[in-house]
């Protein structure tokens, strides 16, 4: 009896405490400062148990069993990609991958499509600067169909089919349309100048691509395929609801007869053209109501050793969220832009650093100058990065990493890429986490400032030529106009 | 009968063998895809309501220590008064300009300081804000949303600057995008004199005319707890949400108002509208009027559009793209709003001179579908894809929460997806055609074209 009275008393006390916290809230800056107190734990990403299989032909596969859902997911890289194109073959990588997905020696277009759809298979292969990227998935009941489809597409392409002429024509229309899109024009004039006579730039030189498409034959594609798609260049990851040993047998069955063709990859680094430094290109698009702008310069290849510090510096400067310095200045203070971002791209043979923005044509000069001023204030050390700015970005990464690597397919794909293609360890993700957590603002400031070159930025502006020219002339800017 | 059959077998061995060969070929060459009924996994969620009408849904998933708070207001561009188009979206921007307790820019700073992210979006029929933060920050995001539900500031100078940002957003997303610009103009013709006439961003002259006073009164009318839905997903517990909802939201007063409803004006004949822009390739857009998103016919329309335009082997792709080589791409969208809605079918003819031919073949495809129907195989393919996408969606609790929340917000029915699946499982191929014929009629549609205004074509 006494015990139960005691219980009731405890319950009443708990209720009273609860009710006292449920009083109406008074909102104040102090309340929010008090509530916003979270230092997120440094995450550790646990690698799933994985198994590695290397076939005699050199093909490598990483496998993880994951029975959470009745699915199988596949990702793969094939080294090569756009970097292997010659000037007279501009655009061949993407045409080849598009055609590979349409049909093979054993399946015409209709049969291939029917096979994919009846089995609910997803499969895609795309060309990137330094590799081909493959991804696919299926319900686990169709795992073998997914492997069979992947093997068929990779081993037995057939370019000389009725879809060849149609796809080439569709690509011609696509590239012609780029001359009418401000995004298309911006990409073309920025990247073809930045990358110059390097395959990275050919794909943006739409006239080169159109010349190639006018003359391409299935034989050209056969040859390019033989040289570039080989099993010893392929690293695959598989995760899902399957038995590892059974899957290994399946992979051996479908891929072990795939032979390598003896071919040598070509390696050329991007040559920096100093004539681009300080250049302003005004691309006339008479019907545009905005100025679309990209400013930037050549940057390091993916071997740049200070990538992590530069990444954090760039987040503070312009690739972070609404409170990056560029957003604060050009949107929140001046109202010039809806969005602005700074990006770094690292590729195997050279990279690029640039800022994207679009503004009212009347603000085109002022906005470029505002970006340059922000760069200079960091470069000169007038407004160095603060510990608070760095902490916000580190804290965000610590919060989102566990979600970014929640799925086994994402972890194993990263492990396979880092170990096989970039020669890193299977702990790459955790090393990366350690690195950004070990940074200090001063170090980030120094590395970022050292690599900022506001004096050499090349500017490409796409928009109504006369209006923008007037603004540039008023401010004594030398520019080259392209109609 | 049995004797006759035996007799037939005995005397028609050749026919029998042929039949067996065909049967074997059929069995071994066609994957067995006759999909079972689609099933939807059960999700555990809690739903409750405060006295002021604020509805709250909680979808727990403790896999990673993050939570997502989303708040939906049941107001969008269809609710806007004449001359003030774009005001819902303008108000969305204003929501980041601060309160007394959280001045302009501070909300980004607070969320960034805890390692979180935030953003917002406005649509035809709702406006949505979200925060993704570490799970220990539940109280912070609850307090932030309660504060700006009731204490938003309307500073004329800040609003004037934000107006410039919005005008630039319109230039970026609508005016300088060929498809979006044509879509805006053709849709305005299709839905003239209805709340769907204008796009979410609004007309430039209306954006220009919106004042801080307009925003203030729009806010006071629509940003009330009884017009909102608060959704939490991820590493969160319903008990904690309940306590904090009482603490921060229960004192906010509700505001009763009459919701806008409308019917499309009666259309007797097809509308045709052409837009001339600086483009090499033309676009064909066809708008159809359909019922609101909770209507029982919506599922049938979804299946029909997949078979017509969306799946890889869709009829338009097969006939117009692969067989006749008239177009280079195609697709369809179904807008499922809380009011009468619309479907859009589009295709991109490869050249201007092929626009009429493409349209003619499109009519033939539609006529063939209405006359001969869809095949069992087409239907089963769509169903199988649907089942697969349901399984994939289980990976993401935020996606599950968002789907249920929209059904609750728009139609007061978080279980609507389950009902739709039950409808789908009971549909026949004939039902789908019958439904499509009801809405996809020539005299009720608008045909629009985005055509090149120049003659330079690809010579640029």
């Amino acid at each position: 009896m006494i015990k139960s009275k005691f219980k009731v008393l405890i319950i009443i006390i708990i209720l009273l405490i609860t009710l006292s916290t449920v009083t109406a809230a008074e909102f104040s800056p102090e309340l929010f400062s008090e509530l916003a107190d979270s230092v997120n734990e440094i995450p550790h990403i646990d690698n799933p148990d994985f198994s590695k299989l290397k076939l005699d032909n050199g093909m490598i596969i990483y496998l993880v069993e994951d029975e959470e859902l009745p699915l199988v997911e596949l990702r793969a890289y094939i080294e090569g990609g756009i970097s292997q194109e010659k000037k007279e073959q501009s655009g061949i990588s993407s045409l080849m991958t598009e055609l590979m997905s349409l049909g093979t020696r054993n399946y015409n277009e209709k049969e291939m499509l029917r096979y994919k759809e009846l089995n609910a298979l997803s499969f895609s292969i795309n060309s990137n600067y330094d590799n081909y990227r493959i991804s696919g998935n299926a319900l686990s009941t169709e795992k073998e169909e997914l492997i069979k489809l992947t093997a068929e597409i990779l081993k037995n392409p057939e370019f000389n089919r009725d879809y060849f002429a149609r796809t080439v024509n569709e690509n011609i229309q696509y590239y012609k349309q780029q001359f009418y899109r401000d995004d298309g024009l911006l990409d073309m004039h920025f990247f073809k100048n930045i990358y110059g006579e390097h395959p990275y730039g050919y794909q943006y030189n739409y006239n080169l691509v159109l010349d190639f498409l006018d003359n391409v034959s299935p034989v050209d594609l056969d040859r390019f395929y033989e040289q570039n798609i080989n099993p010893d260049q392929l690293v695959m990851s598989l995760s899902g609801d399957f038995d590892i040993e059974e899957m290994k047998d399946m992979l051996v069955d479908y891929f072990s007869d795939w032979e390598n063709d003896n071919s040598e990859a070509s390696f050329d680094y991007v040559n920096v053209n100093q004539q681009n430094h300080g250049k302003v290109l005004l691309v006339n698009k008479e019907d545009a109501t905005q100025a679309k702008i990209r400013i930037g310069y050549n940057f390091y290849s993916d071997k740049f050793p200070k990538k992590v510090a530069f990444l954090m510096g760039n987040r503070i400067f312009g690739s972070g969220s609404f409170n990056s310095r560029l957003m604060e200045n050009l949107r929140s203070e001046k109202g010039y832009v809806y969005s602005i971002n700074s990006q770094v791209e690292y590729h195997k043979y050279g990279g690029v650093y640039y800022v994207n923005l679009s503004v009212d044509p009347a603000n085109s000069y002022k906005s470029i100058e505002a970006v340059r001023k922000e760069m200079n204030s960091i470069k000169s050390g007038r407004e160095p990065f603060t510990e608070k700015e760095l902490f916000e970005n580190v804290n965000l990464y610590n919060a989102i990493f566990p979600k970014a690597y929640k799925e086994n397919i994402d972890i194993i794909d990263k492990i396979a890429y880092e170990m096989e293609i970039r020669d890193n360890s299977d702990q790459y993700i955790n090393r990366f986490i350690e690195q950004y957590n070990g940074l200090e603002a001063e170090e980030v400031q120094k590395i970022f400032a050292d690599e900022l070159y506001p004096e050499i930025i090349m500017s490409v502006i796409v928009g109504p030529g006369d209006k923008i020219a007037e603004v540039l002339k008023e401010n004594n800017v030398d520019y080259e106009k392209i109609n | 009968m049995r004797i006759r059959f035996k007799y037939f077998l005995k005397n028609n061995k050749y026919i029998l063998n042929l039949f067996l060969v065909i049967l074997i070929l059929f069995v071994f060459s066609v994957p067995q895809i006759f999909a079972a009924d689609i099933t939807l996994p059960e999700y555990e969620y809690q739903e409750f309501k405060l006295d002021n009408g604020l509805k709250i849904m909680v979808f727990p998933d403790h896999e990673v220590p993050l939570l997502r708070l989303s708040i939906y207001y049941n107001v969008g561009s269809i609710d806007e008064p004449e001359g003030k188009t774009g005001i819902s979206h303008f108000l969305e921007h204003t929501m980041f300009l601060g309160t007394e307790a959280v001045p302009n820019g501070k909300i980004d700073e607070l969320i960034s300081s805890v390692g979180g992210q935030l953003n917002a979006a406005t649509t035809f029929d709702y406006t949505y804000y979200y925060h993704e933060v570490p799970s220990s920050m539940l109280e912070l995001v609850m307090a932030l949303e309660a504060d700006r539900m009731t204490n938003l500031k309307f500073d004329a100078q800040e609003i004037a600057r934000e107006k410039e940002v919005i005008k630039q957003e319109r230039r970026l997303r609508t005016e300088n995008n060929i498809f979006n610009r044509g879509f805006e103009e053709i849709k305005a013709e299709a839905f003239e004199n209805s709340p769907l006439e204008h796009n979410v961003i609004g007309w430039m002259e209306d954006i220009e005319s919106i004042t801080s006073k307009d925003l203030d009164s729009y806010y006071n009318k629509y940003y009330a707890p009884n017009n909102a839905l608060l959704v939490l997903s991820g590493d969160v517990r319903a008990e904690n949400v309940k306590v904090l909802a009482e603490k921060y939201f229960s004192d906010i007063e509700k505001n009763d108002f009459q919701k806008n409803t409308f019917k499309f004006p009666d259309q007797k004949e097809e509308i045709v509208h052409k837009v001339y822009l600086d483009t090499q390739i033309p676009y064909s857009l066809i708008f159809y009027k359909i019922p609101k998103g909770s209507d029982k016919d919506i599922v049938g329309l979804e299946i029909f559009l997949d078979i017509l335009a969306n799946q890889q082997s869709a009829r338009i792709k097969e006939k117009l793209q692969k067989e006749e080589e008239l177009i280079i791409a195609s697709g369809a969208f179904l807008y499922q709003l809380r009011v009468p809605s619309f479907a859009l079918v589009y295709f991109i003819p490869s050249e201007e001179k092929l626009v009429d031919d493409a349209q003619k073949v499109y009519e033939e495809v539609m006529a063939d579908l209405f006359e001969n129907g869809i095949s069992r195989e087409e239907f089963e393919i769509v169903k199988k894809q649907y089942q697969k996408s349901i399984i994939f969606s289980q990976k993401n609790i935020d996606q599950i929460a968002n789907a249920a929340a929209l059904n609750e917000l728009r139609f007061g029915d978080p279980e609507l997806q389950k009902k739709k699946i039950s409808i789908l499982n009971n549909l026949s191929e004939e039902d789908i055609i019958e439904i499509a014929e009801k809405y996809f009629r020539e005299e009720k549609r608008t045909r629009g074209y985005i055509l090149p205004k120049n003659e330079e074509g690809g010579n640029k």
Side-chain angles (χ1 to χ4, degrees):
Chain A
M1 191 66 181
I2 294 170
K3 223 176 178 183
S4 71
K5 273 186 182 170
F6 185 68
K7 252 186 183 174
V8 170
L9 188 66
I10 293 286
I11 288 168
I12 289 169
I13 290 168
I14 289 172
L15 272 174
L16 283 173
I17 291 169
T18 310
L19 284 173
S20 70
T21 63
V22 185
T23 50
E26 286 290 323
F27 299 109
S28 65
E30 295 73 33
L31 169 76
F32 287 107
S33 299
E34 205 178 291
L35 292 177
D37 180 18
S38 175
V39 178
N40 301 315
E41 253 179 56
I42 298 175
H44 181 89
I45 307 299
D46 292 327
N47 287 350
D49 285 339
F50 65 86
S51 178
K52 179 177 159 182
L53 170 70
K54 184 165 184 177
L55 304 184
D56 292 343
N57 58 18
M59 182 173 156
I60 293 169
I61 307 108
Y62 283 69
L63 304 105
V64 174
E65 268 185 39
D66 180 347
E67 291 171 359
E68 203 177 325
L69 292 168
L71 297 168
V72 174
E73 292 179 86
L74 173 156
R75 308 255 178 94
Y77 293 92
I78 302 174
E79 286 194 82
I82 290 161
S83 64
Q84 302 305 306
E85 291 182 359
K86 294 186 171 56
K87 194 169 185 177
E88 63 279 10
Q89 297 174 315
S90 304
I92 194 169
S93 311
S94 73
L95 179 65
M96 177 186 73
T97 51
E98 192 177 346
L99 290 165
M100 283 170 77
S101 301
L102 294 179
T104 64
R105 279 201 285 278
N106 302 311
Y107 289 80
N108 67 27
E109 188 176 17
K110 251 198 166 76
E111 290 163 344
M112 169 72 88
L113 187 53
R114 194 159 178 267
Y115 185 78
K116 281 188 208 166
E117 288 196 332
L118 291 176
N119 293 300
L121 305 177
S122 299
F123 182 90
S124 70
I125 172 166
N126 300 301
S127 55
N128 295 327
Y129 281 72
D130 301 310
N131 56 52
Y132 298 94
R133 186 75 167 117
I134 296 166
S135 67
N137 60 57
L139 293 169
S140 51
T141 43
E142 274 85 25
K143 54 183 173 283
E144 182 161 3
E145 284 78 1
L146 178 65
I147 301 302
K148 186 178 168 188
L149 176 81
T150 307
E152 182 63 25
I153 288 174
L154 293 177
K155 291 189 318 189
N156 302 316
E158 177 57 73
F159 301 107
N160 192 12
R161 277 205 191 265
D162 48 2
Y163 47 73
F164 173 78
R166 188 190 79 229
T167 308
V168 169
N169 184 49
E170 286 173 6
N171 273 271
I172 288 172
Q173 300 310 324
Y174 168 80
Y175 280 103
K176 281 183 176 178
Q177 183 69 3
Q178 300 312 307
F179 293 95
Y180 294 84
R181 297 177 57 246
D182 55 4
D183 284 329
L185 290 167
L186 192 69
D187 283 346
M188 176 165 90
H189 290 287
F190 186 78
F191 290 119
K192 84 173 183 186
N193 279 290
I194 283 286
Y195 291 124
E197 292 295 309
H198 189 276
Y200 290 165
Y202 298 157
Q203 60 179 319
Y204 295 107
N205 190 336
Y206 308 135
N207 286 315
L208 273 183
V209 178
L210 285 166
D211 283 347
F212 160 73
L213 291 169
D214 277 341
N215 296 302
V216 65
S217 73
V219 178
D220 299 328
L221 291 156
D222 276 327
R223 241 180 257 140
F224 193 76
Y225 164 82
E226 295 293 341
Q227 287 163 3
N228 289 282
I229 307 291
N230 286 296
D232 62 358
Q233 301 293 308
L234 192 146
V235 179
M236 185 185 283
S237 313
L238 276 163
S239 169
D241 184 14
F242 53 74
D243 175 83
I244 285 206
E245 293 311 314
E246 194 189 310
M247 181 56 86
K248 280 183 179 172
D249 290 345
M250 211 185 284
L251 289 161
V252 170
D253 284 350
Y254 283 106
F255 285 100
S256 58
D257 63 345
W258 185 15
E259 288 174 12
N260 285 295
D261 193 74
N262 292 325
S263 63
E264 288 278 310
S266 59
F267 303 99
D268 274 324
Y269 279 88
V270 173
N271 280 319
V272 176
N273 179 0
Q274 297 198 347
Q275 285 180 345
N276 287 332
H277 293 172
K279 189 151 94 176
V280 177
L281 292 176
L282 170 56
V283 184
N284 183 28
K285 190 169 189 317
E286 213 47 67
D287 68 324
T289 61
Q290 68 174 355
K292 191 131 194 159
I293 302 170
R294 181 172 296 149
I295 60 176
Y297 46 86
N298 292 86
F299 208 63
Y300 297 97
S301 75
D302 63 2
K303 293 181 186 66
F304 179 46
K306 298 168 186 168
K307 268 199 274 188
V308 179
F310 192 85
L311 167 80
M312 285 295 152
N314 193 41
R315 285 196 61 82
I316 298 169
F317 175 62
S319 80
S321 61
F322 287 97
N323 57 347
S324 73
R325 291 196 177 185
L326 290 180
M327 277 293 265
E328 287 274 0
N329 184 333
L330 279 94
R331 178 172 159 154
S332 306
E333 283 170 31
K334 298 189 167 74
Y336 290 164
V337 300
Y338 168 67
S339 69
I340 181 166
N341 62 76
S342 55
Q343 289 185 24
V344 58
E345 287 180 14
Y346 299 105
H347 307 297
K348 203 166 176 178
Y349 307 112
V352 59
Y353 183 67
Y354 55 89
V355 177
N356 285 320
L357 62 157
S358 58
V359 295
D360 184 331
N363 292 332
S364 41
Y365 173 76
K366 285 190 280 188
S367 55
I368 292 174
E369 282 312 295
V371 174
R372 209 191 296 268
K373 207 172 156 193
E374 279 296 335
M375 283 183 168
N376 277 321
S377 68
I378 296 168
K379 181 97 186 159
S380 65
R382 270 198 313 277
E383 290 180 52
F385 294 150
T386 62
E387 288 297 344
K388 182 174 167 274
E389 285 175 310
L390 177 63
F391 168 76
E392 280 176 5
N393 286 288
V394 169
N395 206 30
L396 170 69
Y397 269 43
N398 285 343
I400 62 176
F401 255 70
K403 189 171 180 182
Y405 288 103
K406 198 179 84 163
E407 304 291 336
N408 281 335
I409 186 66
D410 295 319
I411 303 174
I412 197 66
D413 180 47
K414 187 72 182 161
I415 290 173
Y417 178 76
E418 291 300 334
M419 289 184 74
E420 303 301 333
I421 295 179
R422 302 201 58 238
D423 211 14
N424 285 320
S425 87
D426 69 349
Q427 286 300 315
Y428 178 81
I429 306 171
N430 290 314
R431 300 267 177 282
F432 180 82
I433 292 169
E434 274 169 31
Q435 279 186 53
Y436 71 70
N437 276 286
L439 291 168
E440 288 185 5
E442 199 179 332
E443 183 187 1
V444 173
Q445 159 69 28
K446 185 175 179 336
I447 289 168
F448 192 74
D450 283 352
E451 304 304 342
L452 272 188
Y453 301 102
E455 67 285 2
I456 65 160
I457 54 174
M458 179 181 79
S459 310
V460 177
I461 310 170
V462 180
D466 292 345
K467 275 188 197 170
I468 298 169
E470 205 177 301
V471 176
L472 296 176
K473 276 180 202 157
E474 273 171 22
N475 291 284
N476 301 315
V477 177
D478 285 334
Y479 62 89
E480 188 184 318
K481 192 171 172 190
I482 300 167
N483 280 305
Chain B
M1 191 69 179
R2 199 180 292 164
I3 297 166
R4 272 190 190 174
F5 186 59
K6 265 190 179 174
Y7 177 77
F8 172 81
L9 290 181
K10 203 173 174 184
N11 294 282
N12 293 279
K13 273 189 178 163
Y14 172 71
I15 293 174
L16 179 68
N17 287 339
L18 187 66
F19 172 72
L20 282 174
V21 168
I22 291 169
L23 182 71
I24 288 164
L25 275 176
F26 180 77
V27 168
F28 290 101
S29 65
V30 180
Q32 296 303 287
I33 53 98
F34 300 122
D37 276 358
I38 292 172
T39 51
L40 184 68
E42 292 287 334
Y43 305 112
E44 265 188 38
Y45 70 93
Q46 287 81 40
E47 194 177 14
F48 46 96
K49 195 175 176 179
L50 301 186
D51 291 344
N52 58 14
L54 178 68
K55 287 183 189 162
I56 299 152
M57 296 169 87
V58 184
F59 294 79
D61 176 355
H62 305 289
E63 207 177 337
V64 292
L66 281 178
L67 69 85
R68 190 181 179 98
L69 176 147
S70 310
I71 186 157
Y72 299 78
Y73 290 95
N74 212 342
V75 60
S77 64
I78 56 166
D79 301 296
E80 293 167 348
E82 214 183 316
K84 299 292 172 195
T85 64
I87 193 169
S88 310
H89 172 253
F90 203 142
L91 181 55
E92 176 218 307
H93 277 244
T94 312
M95 286 284 276
F96 292 86
L97 302 185
T99 63
E100 286 300 331
V102 186
N104 186 12
K106 188 74 184 169
I107 192 164
D108 299 322
E109 221 177 274
L110 286 167
I111 295 298
S112 295
S113 73
V114 300
Q117 301 179 91
L118 79 172
N119 215 330
T122 309
T123 73
F124 288 117
D125 61 348
Y126 68 91
T127 310
Y128 154 75
Y129 303 83
Y130 78 85
H131 305 260
E132 188 169 60
V133 290
S135 37
S136 57
M137 290 296 98
L138 174 64
E139 185 163 1
L140 171 70
V141 287
M142 294 281 279
L144 281 170
E145 285 308 331
D147 180 36
R148 66 176 178 173
M149 183 187 275
T150 188
N151 297 321
L152 195 63
K153 276 201 307 190
F154 295 89
D155 177 293
Q157 206 179 331
E158 277 304 314
I159 285 169
R161 186 203 44 75
E162 196 62 30
K163 187 182 280 182
E164 294 308 309
V165 172
I166 295 166
K167 282 159 66 183
Q168 179 49 34
E169 184 180 356
R170 186 183 151 82
R171 286 185 206 105
L172 176 72
R173 290 188 162 169
T174 304
E175 292 178 8
N176 292 281
N177 178 303
I178 296 164
F179 185 86
N180 291 351
R181 195 163 149 195
F183 172 91
E184 182 184 50
E185 192 175 321
I186 297 163
K187 187 170 73 58
E189 285 291 316
F191 306 117
E192 200 181 359
N193 298 323
S194 87
L196 284 170
E197 182 176 334
H198 65 278
N199 272 357
V200 171
I201 189 84
W203 302 111
M204 193 61 118
E205 59 271 27
D206 287 357
I207 298 171
E208 194 70 72
S209 78
I210 291 168
T211 64
S212 48
K213 207 174 150 199
D214 294 331
L215 290 162
D216 197 351
S217 78
Y218 200 73
Y219 169 74
N220 280 317
K221 179 172 178 184
Y222 290 109
Y223 279 45
N226 53 319
N227 197 41
L229 172 65
L230 185 67
V231 179
L232 289 119
S233 50
D235 188 20
V236 61
R237 293 184 193 286
E239 313 84 83
N240 300 344
V241 174
K242 251 184 208 173
V243 171
L244 292 170
E246 282 291 344
K247 180 172 175 180
Y248 288 107
F249 286 93
S250 61
D251 280 356
I252 304 175
E253 280 178 28
K254 66 178 189 173
N255 181 33
D256 290 316
F257 60 88
Q258 193 68 38
K259 270 259 154 59
N260 291 346
T261 56
F262 78 96
K263 276 186 179 172
F264 286 123
D266 198 25
Q267 186 178 341
K268 300 254 185 310
E269 59 181 31
E270 183 183 33
I271 299 166
V272 180
H273 186 76
K274 294 178 180 175
V275 184
Y276 292 91
L277 297 177
D278 194 23
T279 178
Q280 153 78 21
I281 51 174
Y283 298 80
S284 300
L285 288 77
I286 306 167
F287 288 91
Y288 296 97
K289 291 167 181 162
I290 59 167
K292 67 176 181 177
S294 56
D295 193 276
K296 61 177 177 27
D297 287 345
I298 289 293
V299 179
L301 291 173
E302 263 183 273
I303 304 292
F304 182 80
L305 285 181
D306 281 346
I307 291 168
L308 175 71
N310 283 336
Q311 63 187 39
Q312 285 296 305
S313 62
R315 295 286 184 107
I316 299 182
K317 293 191 205 300
E318 285 296 319
K319 189 74 183 171
L320 276 76
Q321 187 170 2
K322 293 176 194 164
E323 214 174 289
E324 305 277 349
E325 300 191 11
L326 295 167
I327 65 167
I328 59 174
S330 62
F333 297 101
L334 196 67
Y335 294 79
Q336 303 182 43
L337 312 178
R338 66 173 142 90
V339 293
S341 307
F342 64 96
L344 168 68
V345 179
Y346 73 89
F347 43 88
I348 305 175
S350 55
E351 291 176 72
E352 188 184 2
K353 66 181 184 199
L354 300 177
V355 169
D356 290 340
D357 291 344
Q359 187 65 43
K360 190 168 158 269
V361 180
Y362 173 77
E363 307 300 354
E364 287 168 14
V365 167
M366 290 294 270
D368 178 57
L369 273 166
F370 291 156
E371 203 178 315
N372 302 314
I374 59 169
S375 69
R376 162 63 66 92
E377 188 173 285
E378 283 174 313
F379 191 22
E380 294 297 338
I381 284 171
V382 174
K383 280 168 87 172
K384 190 154 185 173
Q385 283 293 351
Y386 204 88
Q387 181 69 74
K388 189 178 160 194
S389 67
I390 287 172
I391 293 173
F392 262 96
S393 74
Q394 285 177 264
K395 288 182 165 207
N396 187 342
I397 191 71
D398 301 332
Q399 206 180 320
I400 293 165
N402 182 57
L406 285 181
N407 285 330
E408 169 63 54
L409 184 83
R410 285 172 159 152
F411 313 113
D413 186 358
E415 303 291 313
L416 185 63
Q417 200 189 359
K418 221 181 258 176
K419 289 174 190 158
K420 283 187 171 180
I421 284 168
S422 160
I423 292 174
L424 174 55
N425 285 332
N426 289 298
L427 277 179
S428 69
E429 292 89 317
E430 292 74 25
D431 295 334
I432 288 163
I433 294 302
E434 201 179 298
I435 292 167
E437 274 186 304
K438 249 200 302 192
Y439 301 99
F440 294 165
R441 292 162 58 169
E442 266 185 51
E443 72 276 16
K444 298 282 182 198
R445 72 185 186 186
T446 298
R447 223 171 355 113
Y449 300 98
I450 304 168
L451 300 170
K453 70 174 175 193
N454 55 302
E455 287 176 2
E456 290 172 16
N459 299 327
K460 264 195 174 180

